[in-house]
């Protein structure tokens, strides 16, 4: 798989971090751990209070690129959804990001599909694709739900974000993963969890606080990797592990541990 990225959302205030590290410290940790790419979120980026061009230049000066930018939300507030798409599109253009990650909080019906497509068009004008994430605690909970949105928006403008956490903890099966055409995949995120959660669990809290490094939990990540490789996927793989205990180790140790774990996944 061609590009290995470290997603840094775990260090964002929106992931519960009270004092995020400076961007320079975060970038140095990612680079020194051996990653060539870093995933950022637009909310933290704007929080730095500096011109986007200056921040993008800092990423480039660290020898990194930013292929993924979180994010935008499609929900009942159409005006806010479109404004969010424009905001993340501006960040994608400045950083040269390939993907803008989106979360959809509406049932994937015709109205939702139209709004998602409008957001995807805005993002496409900035040179990126809208990556829709299926999550077991949202109305777009399955690969099929995400595929329906991508079919309407078109694969030139959008794709499905395949996150190992949501695949293993959600209702999808190996068969539904096998049926997902490689052309419809935006990119892949990897992570793990100590257990497969039962129905009725607090999936959101578990997702946002108890993920573990790939290989440290119960997910069948070798089979997951092989299923993607079998369909010819060789694109972006982003490590996204949201866990306050790991974040407390500091950016440098977190990044080194994530790089070692990602190496096991790619073996």
């Amino acid at each position: 798989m061609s590009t290995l990225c470290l997603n840094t959302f775990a260090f964002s205030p929106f992931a519960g971090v009270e004092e995020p590290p400076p961007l320079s410290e975060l970038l140095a940790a990612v680079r020194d751990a051996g990653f060539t790419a870093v995933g950022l979120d637009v909310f933290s980026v704007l929080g730095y209070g500096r011109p986007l061009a200056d921040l993008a230049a800092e990423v480039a000066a660290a020898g990194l690129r930013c292929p993924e930018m979180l994010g935008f939300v499609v929900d009942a507030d159409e005006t806010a959804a479109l404004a969010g798409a424009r905001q993340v599109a501006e960040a994608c253009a400045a950083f040269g990001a390939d993907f803008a990650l989106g979360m959809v909080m509406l049932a994937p019906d015709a109205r939702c599909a139209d709004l998602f497509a409008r957001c995807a068009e805005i993002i496409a004008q900035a040179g990126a694709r809208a990556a829709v994430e299926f999550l077991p605690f949202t109305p777009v909970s399955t690969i099929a739900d995400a595929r329906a949105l991508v079919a309407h928006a078109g694969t030139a403008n959008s794709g499905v974000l395949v996150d190992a956490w949501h695949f293993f903890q959600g209702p999808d099966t190996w068969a539904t993963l096998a049926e997902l055409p490689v052309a419809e995949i935006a990119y892949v995120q990897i992570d793990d969890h100590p257990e497969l959660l039962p129905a009725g669990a607090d999936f959101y809290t578990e997702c946002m606080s108890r993920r573990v490094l790939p290989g440290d939990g119960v997910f069948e990540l070798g089979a997951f990797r092989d299923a993607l490789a079998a369909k010819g996927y060789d694109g972006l793989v982003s490590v996204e592990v949201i866990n306050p205990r790991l974040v407390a180790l500091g950016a440098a140790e977190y990044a080194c541990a994530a790089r070692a774990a990602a190496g096991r996944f790619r073996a």
Side-chain angles (χ1 to χ4, degrees):
M1 297 183 181
S2 58
T3 301
L4 187 61
C5 175
L6 181 59
N7 183 298
T8 59
F9 181 69
F11 286 87
S12 167
F14 298 90
V17 177
E18 293 184 3
E19 294 186 20
L23 180 62
S24 58
E25 178 183 335
L26 206 55
L27 296 177
V30 174
R31 177 198 62 215
D32 294 348
F35 288 95
T36 59
V38 61
L40 299 173
D41 71 274
V42 68
F43 316 111
S44 295
V45 164
L46 294 175
Y48 289 121
R50 295 164 51 198
L52 293 177
D54 290 354
L55 296 170
E58 188 171 349
V59 172
L64 300 168
R65 63 181 302 264
C66 174
E68 60 168 338
M69 182 70 65
L70 185 158
F72 66 102
V73 178
V74 176
D75 60 16
D77 188 337
E78 179 178 313
T79 300
L82 295 172
R86 286 189 286 270
Q87 179 177 265
V88 78
E90 183 179 2
C92 285
F95 284 83
D98 302 310
F99 304 105
L101 190 158
M103 185 168 67
V104 179
M105 301 303 294
L106 296 174
D109 56 16
R111 175 183 175 235
C112 173
D114 284 344
L115 182 54
F116 175 76
R118 291 170 66 190
C119 291
E121 177 61 31
I122 291 168
I123 290 162
Q125 290 171 4
R129 288 172 75 196
V132 59
E133 187 168 24
F134 59 93
L135 306 99
F137 47 85
T138 69
V140 176
S141 62
T142 67
I143 290 174
D145 292 336
R147 290 187 66 188
L149 298 179
V150 169
H152 189 70
T155 55
N157 291 356
S158 65
V160 178
L161 168 59
V162 182
D163 185 325
W165 203 95
H166 307 310
F167 171 72
F168 284 105
Q169 300 289 15
D172 276 298
T173 65
W174 293 111
T176 56
L177 180 60
E179 291 165 1
L180 173 63
V182 70
E184 294 181 21
I185 299 176
Y187 67 105
V188 171
Q189 289 182 338
I190 57 171
D191 35 50
D192 215 325
H193 205 74
E195 61 183 319
L196 293 177
L197 300 170
D202 185 349
F203 286 92
Y204 177 80
T205 299
E206 293 279 343
C207 174
M208 293 295 291
S209 63
R210 290 191 66 225
R211 299 192 198 195
V212 295
L213 293 166
D216 287 351
V218 300
F219 294 168
E220 297 177 64
L221 291 175
F224 181 71
R225 174 200 61 213
D226 294 346
L228 293 167
K231 64 175 76 262
Y233 182 77
D234 63 353
L236 176 66
V237 175
S238 177
V239 184
E240 186 189 48
V241 181
I242 307 171
N243 185 314
R245 179 182 58 81
L246 293 173
V247 168
L249 298 175
E253 189 169 346
Y254 175 98
C256 285
R259 182 62 184 84
R264 295 196 299 266
F265 175 79
R266 298 180 82 188

